[in-house]
Amino acid sequence: MDQCEFEESKKFNLADALECISNTIVVKNIMVENNCVIQVFVFDYGKVQSYEKSPFSRFIHIIEGKAEVVIDDNSTFMQKGDSIIIPGHSNSSIEANHKFKMICTTIKI
C-alpha cells in the first residue's frame, strides 16, 4: 500500500484534493498505520468497487455526490454527508450511480 499522500499537521480539503478521472476510481492514502487505514476515493459514474469478506470493519463517509453501498445484498443509497459502517466478515460493494467522493476508514482490530 502506498504511503500517505497528505502531510501531517497541514490543513487540506478532501473535496478539492482529488479530481474525477474518466472511467476510473482514484484512491489516495490519508493515513496508513498498523491498525488503521484512511483513504479518500473518487468514483466516476458506473464504477464499482467490490470487497471480499474481511475481518475488518470499514467506515464510509460521502463527501461529495451520491453512491450506493451494498452490504450482504442489501442496498443503501447515500449522498453527501451520509456515513455507514460496513461490518467485518460481510460481502460488500460500493457503486457509482453518480460521480462521488468518499472517505474510507478501515479499522484493523
Side-chain angles (χ1 to χ4, degrees):
M1 186 172 293
D2 294 332
Q3 293 301 315
C4 301
E5 300 182 49
F6 297 90
E7 288 185 58
E8 290 184 356
S9 303
K10 299 280 184 172
K11 179 175 82 168
F12 54 91
N13 184 315
L14 288 176
D16 296 337
L18 294 171
E19 293 299 320
C20 187
I21 298 174
S22 181
N23 202 34
T24 62
I25 299 172
V26 178
V27 182
K28 287 197 177 189
N29 293 323
I30 298 171
M31 176 193 279
V32 179
E33 298 288 336
N34 291 335
N35 296 330
C36 181
V37 177
I38 304 172
Q39 299 172 303
V40 63
F41 289 73
V42 180
F43 283 65
D44 191 17
Y45 171 80
K47 300 310 286 181
V48 177
Q49 175 74 49
S50 295
Y51 294 97
E52 301 277 328
K53 283 189 178 180
S54 166
F56 309 124
S57 296
R58 279 189 232 70
F59 171 78
I60 304 296
H61 178 77
I62 306 301
I63 56 176
E64 185 176 292
K66 298 178 183 179
E68 179 180 1
V69 177
V70 181
I71 303 170
D72 290 331
D73 297 323
N74 295 309
S75 290
T76 301
F77 293 93
M78 301 178 62
Q79 60 187 355
K80 179 181 177 180
D82 290 343
S83 302
I84 195 166
I85 296 171
I86 300 173
H89 306 287
S90 61
N91 290 312
S92 64
S93 65
I94 300 170
E95 303 179 12
N97 298 329
H98 301 272
K99 292 180 184 178
F100 73 94
K101 297 178 183 180
M102 73 172 196
I103 298 170
C104 177
T105 304
T106 303
I107 314 291
K108 299 179 178 181
I109 41 177

